[in-house]
Structure formats: structure tokens, C-alpha cells
Amino acid sequence: MCERAHHHRFPARPPACLRVCVPSNRTTGQSKRTMSLSLVLRQRSAATAAVSARGLHLMRPGSVYNFRLAAVAAAAPQQSHHPGAAGAVASSPINHHHRTFLTMACAQQQQRCVSIDNINPAIKTMEYAVRGPLVIRAGVIEKELEEGVKKPFKEVIRANIGDCHAMGQPPITFIRQVLGLVSYPPLFDDPTIPADAKQRARAILDGCKGGSVGSYSDSAGIEVIRRHAAEYIQRRDGGIPADWQNIILSAGASGGIKVLMALLRCPIDGKKPGVMIPIPQYPLYSATIAEFDMEQIGYYLDEANKWGLDIAELERSLAEARKVSAPRILVVINPGNPTGQVLSRANIEDIIKFAHRERLVLFADEVYQDNVYEPGSQFHSFKKVMMEMGAPYSGMELCSFMSCSKGYMGECGIRGGYAEIVNLCPDVRTMLLKCISAQLCPTTAGQAVLDCVVHPPQKGEPSYERFEREKAAVLESLRERAELVARTFNSIEGFTCNPVQGAMYAFPQIRLPPKALEAAKKEGKPADTFYAFQLLEETGICIVPGSGFGQRPGTYHFRTTILPQPEKLKEMLGLFKSFHEKFLQKYK
């Protein structure tokens, strides 16, 4: 299970001050006085925040609490140095009294129609560990560094998220040229921009209403780009036909995943629809399942077998789930996030047979299909394998996803992606198109970037050699970094790391000393979260605890990207090793 951070209870903001007005009625009269309390709030990862020295608990907006305040001298505020602790309280001396505290924020909240108690409960339970409490704390630390606060490091290294360009990866020239042209047509007059980039941009603009990417596109995306996506899939899969009308463009792969999951959000025989997801998993899935009030069905990947997918484990998980839910979707992430495995063709065939036998819709998350590094590993698309298996498997419903955020492109913020939906009932397709029409259209800038991915420069065109050179350089550097990360982690006492066969992450297991487990328990944190917070505070390295992705009980992991540029990555790994040695000495 993902760590229950309950961040819906606390505002995700840097330290702030809260002014508290305290009405006081004396027995000798009705005079009132006001006491101001300055509460310096600091982010924390656990589900509670408290100022234990004063017995004052953080109040939720819209709530009124009674507290007993002990008389205190005009003492200086006490500041906790723990990253998750609430800060200090300063107050004037007061007598022992039961008093009702009503914050100004609470008073305003009581006049509003919407409070934390009457919003969608599914939103309150959803979590997204990749941007959870550790990342919030990292943001606070960055601001503190900007303000001159002294730390044992000079910068925060954000190894928590697969944000390629944020970690220094250069953009692909051809992609940016086309993006610039469609965004600012006067660049067509620039003689330094190659003719093939201009031709691609002109074709995109011809597909836009009014010849502008500022116009709405069709809800499923610009037709010429959908056609190019189908041609790309057909080339990738060795000539197996792809129908452009089965392609839906989306805001990254995430947009397509969410709209298709929403389509299957229907109770069956009074049971919630269930979604089978790998554990460890990409938190988009657990968050979306919670948001849609569906049932999460986790199946464990086999860490001892390079994070392979075991059919017996799928069967166990499905049998348990059917007692309480109606399983409908089987999600497979290949290459894997956060685990970096690349599935063999034989493994994919077994998964397809299982899904067919159990009448499950396959969701193939293939956004890392360009990111395969280990010799002997090869990406096989689920569609290609399914079609080559022939009937009855070639008639199965399959939804596969691709994105321009990963691979060699790394254009995360521009939000381009596609979903290919195979063998969908025509009536269901009509409902899907109706559903996406309510969202108007995916971003046209994202569609333009995706077009560059699925319709890249061809041999003989002016941009071809430079495009291929830049693409190969990015992928080769990632391959070298994948090897470096796994090798380094395996050299550290207490670490075990599988080869990073693909994708952009390592997911090592760490064996923590009993004293560290006890210390984590005292702080109310999962042990891997406890470790990650200390790592952040002492080195500036921001990772994601394994509890945010799911892991077998009694094991502890974390996810780190391999995206820092080579010299920065070496520096990060050196800091990591030094920190871990000190951590073991402290808790042995």
C-alpha cells in the first residue's frame, strides 16, 4: 500500500504563520481579551502535526477544538529541527483555563459552502507519492537555500521524478524547430531552419482550423498526427496494420489512461470494478483508482527474478480480489516503472493468455519503449505479440499507451501522448469519443511534439543525421548511467539492486538496522520514508520511498531516477554512499 500521507489535511505550502484569536470570558465580568499565537507550521509526512511542548494540535479548517493551556512564562519560541515537525508557539502568560479556540481561517471556513468534510471523499484518499511530502519538503529547502540558510549541501538533487529536461537533458533540435514553427509562423522565413522541419510544421498547421495551433483540434486529436501515429505503430510492429481511427491523442499517456479507466468504471453484480496493477507500481494508477472509487488489486513483481511477472502471482491476486470486487483491467508497465525491467516475449505471451482466460482488458503502458539498455533485452509491444499469436488472442481488447515525456525526447511539460484502442466494440467507441469530447481536445503543442516522435526525419532528409545523432547520444548516456547506478548501489553495504534493463529508474532494496526501524516507528513513519527524509536533510538528495509505490511487507526500497547528468550523477552516488555509511554507524 502507498504511504498514507493524508496531505489533504494540510496545505502544501512553505512555512507560514497562523494568527489565532482566543476569546476569554472571566468570571468577574464579561470583558474579553485577545491573545495572538504565532504558529510556525512546517511540513511533515505523517498524518498528524502537533506542537507537543504546548499540547496544541493543528486545527483543521471548519473545526473547533477545546484545549487546556498551561500557564507559561514569556519564553522564547521552541523550534524543532525535524523536517516534519510542527514549529514553535509563542504566547503571553495565561492562567489555567478551558478555552475554545476558533481560528480566523476556521471562522471564514464556516461561512463557505465547501469544507473538507463535504468534498469528494475519493479525492481525500488519493495519493501521488512522486509529488508527496518529501518533495514538498525539498521545495521548502530550495527556498531556504535561496534565502541564504546554511545547509550541509548547496543544492537539492531532484532524483524523485522522471523529468528529463529538469535534470539537464538537452532537447532534440528537430522537435524544438517544429514546435517553434507551429507556434510562431514567421519562423518559416528563417533560412537556418531545415526544409523538412518546415514541411512537418506546415502539415500540422494545415490540419489545424484557421491554420493555427491556437485553435481547438478534434477531440481525438489532429487527423494527420493520428495517421502518422498509426504509421509509426505499423512500422514498429513489423507491418501489422494499425488503424488511425483507433488512435486517440492525449495530454501525455496519463490523459489516455485516465479516460479509458473512467470508461470501465461500472459496478458488476454489485461489486466495485477492480484494476490489477503491479506492485511496485507507478502511483498514477493507485491515485486514479482511488479517485474513481475503484478497487486496487495489487500483484507482486518477482524481485528475485529481475522484477519479472509471475503468472501464479497473477492468479493468486485475482482469486483474492474476486471475493470483494469485479476485476476488469490488467495493467502491465513495460519497460517497468519504478523497477526498470523489460519483459521477455514468452512472459508477454503468458500474460496475454491469462488476460484472455480471465476476461480482462489489457492496459499496456509502453511509454519507455525507446529506453532499453541491457544487452539481450528487447522491447516487444503487446499488440505485436497478441496479433502474432493469432485467434482467439488477436481479438482481445487492448489499450496501449505512448508518451513524448520519456524515451529520448523527455518533453514532459508539453504533455503529448497517444492511446491505441484495439478491438473495442463500436458502440463503446462511440461512448469513448463522447467522453473525450467533453474535454474539448488535448493540447495542440503536445500533439505537434508527438508528431515529431511518430513522424521523425527520414534518411535523406536534411535533419536526419543530426536527429539520429542526438537521439543516439541521449540513449547511450542513459545506458551508461543505468549501469553506473546499479553497479554503485550493489557496492554499498545493505543494498541490493537489480539491473536497470530499461526505463529511467532504479529501485534498490535496503536492509535497515533494527535501531533504525525502532527510530522510524517512534516518529510514526515507514522506515524507508524515515531514511529518505534523513537523506534529504543531510545531502539534499530527494528520492521516493518504496512505500509510495508498494512493496512486499517487511522489505524497504526507494526509487531514484538515473537522469542526473553523468558528473552530477557521480556526485549524487558519492553523497549517497557516504550518507549510508554514516546512517549505519548511527543506528548499528
Side-chain angles (χ1 to χ4, degrees):
M1 292 287 285
C2 295
E3 176 196 353
R4 296 291 177 192
H6 295 287
H7 43 261
H8 62 271
R9 295 187 183 181
F10 304 103
R13 299 174 183 167
C17 290
L18 174 66
R19 189 173 178 83
V20 183
C21 295
V22 186
S24 174
N25 293 327
R26 295 183 178 275
T27 55
T28 57
Q30 296 300 314
S31 62
K32 295 184 178 180
R33 68 178 181 175
T34 300
M35 177 185 72
S36 293
L37 297 179
S38 176
L39 305 181
V40 180
L41 308 181
R42 297 185 67 186
Q43 298 294 339
R44 65 179 298 164
S45 62
T48 60
V51 186
S52 57
R54 299 291 190 269
L56 177 62
H57 290 263
L58 183 64
M59 291 184 286
R60 188 172 69 187
S63 303
V64 180
Y65 291 82
N66 288 322
F67 298 97
R68 178 186 295 274
L69 291 185
V72 292
Q78 297 180 6
Q79 178 67 48
S80 169
H81 295 286
H82 188 274
V89 176
S91 68
S92 57
I94 56 173
N95 296 323
H96 288 284
H97 272 289
H98 284 295
R99 297 217 172 94
T100 299
F101 286 72
L102 179 63
T103 70
M104 295 169 69
C106 293
Q108 293 173 357
Q109 185 72 16
Q110 289 181 331
Q111 297 173 13
R112 294 173 182 157
C113 299
V114 182
S115 75
I116 195 69
D117 296 314
N118 64 15
I119 65 169
N120 182 349
I123 299 298
K124 293 191 284 187
T125 60
M126 70 178 286
E127 303 164 8
Y128 191 62
V130 174
R131 292 181 181 267
L134 269 159
V135 183
I136 294 169
R137 176 61 188 155
V140 172
I141 291 174
E142 284 178 326
K143 290 189 180 298
E144 290 174 346
L145 288 170
E146 290 172 4
E147 294 166 358
V149 177
K150 297 298 182 184
K151 302 282 183 184
F153 48 86
K154 295 181 179 179
E155 64 176 332
V156 171
I157 301 175
R158 287 183 173 265
N160 60 294
I161 193 166
D163 192 350
C164 309
H165 291 184
M167 299 308 294
Q169 179 176 311
I172 300 296
T173 301
F174 178 80
I175 292 176
R176 289 302 179 88
Q177 286 172 335
V178 173
L179 186 60
L181 287 161
V182 299
S183 303
Y184 187 60
L187 289 175
F188 279 95
D189 297 328
D190 186 339
T192 65
I193 299 178
D196 53 344
K198 292 178 179 178
Q199 183 272 328
R200 297 295 198 285
R202 178 56 61 197
I204 293 168
L205 291 175
D206 287 346
C208 297
K209 297 173 179 64
S212 171
V213 288
S215 61
Y216 288 126
S217 75
D218 293 339
S219 295
I222 299 168
E223 181 178 321
V224 68
I225 301 177
R226 294 169 69 198
R227 288 182 179 274
H228 287 160
E231 292 167 4
Y232 162 83
I233 293 167
Q234 190 162 319
R235 288 194 307 272
R236 181 198 68 188
D237 291 344
I240 293 171
D243 185 347
W244 71 270
Q245 295 187 78
N246 289 339
I247 307 295
I248 293 172
L249 306 187
S250 57
S254 304
I257 290 166
K258 293 190 73 169
V259 74
L260 282 158
M261 198 177 288
L263 189 70
L264 299 177
R265 182 188 171 193
C266 176
I268 305 292
D269 297 329
K271 293 181 178 179
K272 281 186 182 181
V275 183
M276 299 186 71
I277 61 173
I279 301 297
Q281 54 97 25
Y282 173 43
L284 164 73
Y285 291 101
S286 56
T288 304
I289 291 165
E291 180 185 355
F292 291 168
D293 196 27
M294 300 171 83
E295 190 73 22
Q296 178 176 312
I297 306 166
Y299 62 87
Y300 289 110
L301 299 177
D302 185 1
E303 186 172 9
N305 188 29
K306 296 183 178 180
W307 296 110
L309 203 163
D310 180 53
I311 301 302
E313 170 60 15
L314 284 178
E315 291 169 343
R316 179 207 64 78
S317 174
L318 184 69
E320 286 294 314
R322 281 188 167 146
K323 297 174 184 177
V324 295
S325 66
R328 304 202 67 193
I329 300 169
L330 171 59
V331 174
V332 182
I333 308 174
N334 180 49
N337 176 8
T339 44
Q341 84 281 8
V342 179
L343 298 179
S344 68
R345 181 185 172 104
N347 204 178
I348 292 173
E349 288 180 358
D350 288 341
I351 294 164
I352 290 170
K353 290 175 183 177
F354 170 82
H356 179 268
R357 182 170 67 249
E358 303 297 345
R359 295 184 57 78
L360 298 169
V361 178
L362 268 169
F363 274 32
D365 185 333
E366 298 174 336
V367 303
Y368 297 98
Q369 58 191 259
D370 287 304
N371 301 102
V372 178
Y373 315 121
E374 189 182 51
S377 294
Q378 182 181 350
F379 170 74
H380 302 276
S381 79
F382 266 78
K383 182 190 174 186
K384 183 176 189 289
V385 174
M386 189 178 83
M387 292 301 177
E388 290 180 344
M389 289 172 69
Y393 307 110
S394 56
M396 292 172 59
E397 292 119 321
L398 168 70
C399 304
S400 59
F401 306 95
M402 177 58 173
S403 171
C404 63
S405 299
K406 308 302 177 185
Y408 58 91
M409 309 79 69
E411 298 283 5
C412 303
I414 294 177
R415 312 307 300 136
Y418 74 69
E420 184 187 23
I421 301 97
V422 180
N423 296 322
L424 198 65
C425 164
D427 291 340
V428 176
R429 182 206 295 272
T430 300
M431 293 297 104
L432 174 62
L433 293 175
K434 179 178 71 172
C435 180
I436 64 174
S437 69
Q439 301 175 20
L440 297 179
C441 72
T443 164
T444 52
Q447 293 183 58
V449 170
L450 183 72
D451 190 62
C452 297
V453 175
V454 298
H455 188 40
Q458 300 300 302
K459 195 168 186 177
E461 292 184 327
S463 299
Y464 176 77
E465 289 187 5
R466 182 173 187 174
F467 178 87
E468 289 295 317
R469 185 171 63 250
E470 290 177 350
K471 174 181 175 180
V474 169
L475 294 176
E476 174 59 20
S477 179
L478 286 169
R479 184 194 65 77
E480 292 172 356
R481 282 176 271 168
E483 290 181 357
L484 172 65
V485 166
R487 184 171 65 250
T488 302
F489 282 142
N490 282 321
S491 73
I492 300 175
E493 181 184 355
F495 277 54
T496 304
C497 186
N498 271 312
V500 181
Q501 297 175 305
M504 296 177 171
Y505 316 98
F507 197 71
Q509 183 176 159
I510 46 174
R511 290 174 294 280
L512 300 174
K515 286 186 178 179
L517 301 182
E518 292 171 11
K521 187 175 181 181
K522 286 180 181 177
E523 292 197 12
K525 291 188 177 80
D528 49 9
T529 302
F530 173 80
Y531 181 91
F533 262 112
Q534 292 208 18
L535 176 71
L536 174 62
E537 294 291 337
E538 295 184 26
T539 68
I541 299 171
C542 183
I543 57 174
V544 187
S547 49
F549 299 92
Q551 55 198 347
R552 285 190 180 273
T555 66
Y556 304 102
H557 302 78
F558 62 85
R559 188 190 81 167
T560 179
T561 72
I562 62 171
L563 293 177
Q565 294 303 295
E567 291 307 311
K568 181 63 66 177
L569 183 62
K570 291 174 185 175
E571 177 189 341
M572 184 188 92
L573 293 172
L575 289 170
F576 221 123
K577 189 168 186 175
S578 175
F579 164 80
H580 188 72
E581 290 170 353
K582 293 175 184 176
F583 184 90
L584 290 182
Q585 287 298 319
K586 182 177 180 179
Y587 290 104
K588 270 188 174 179

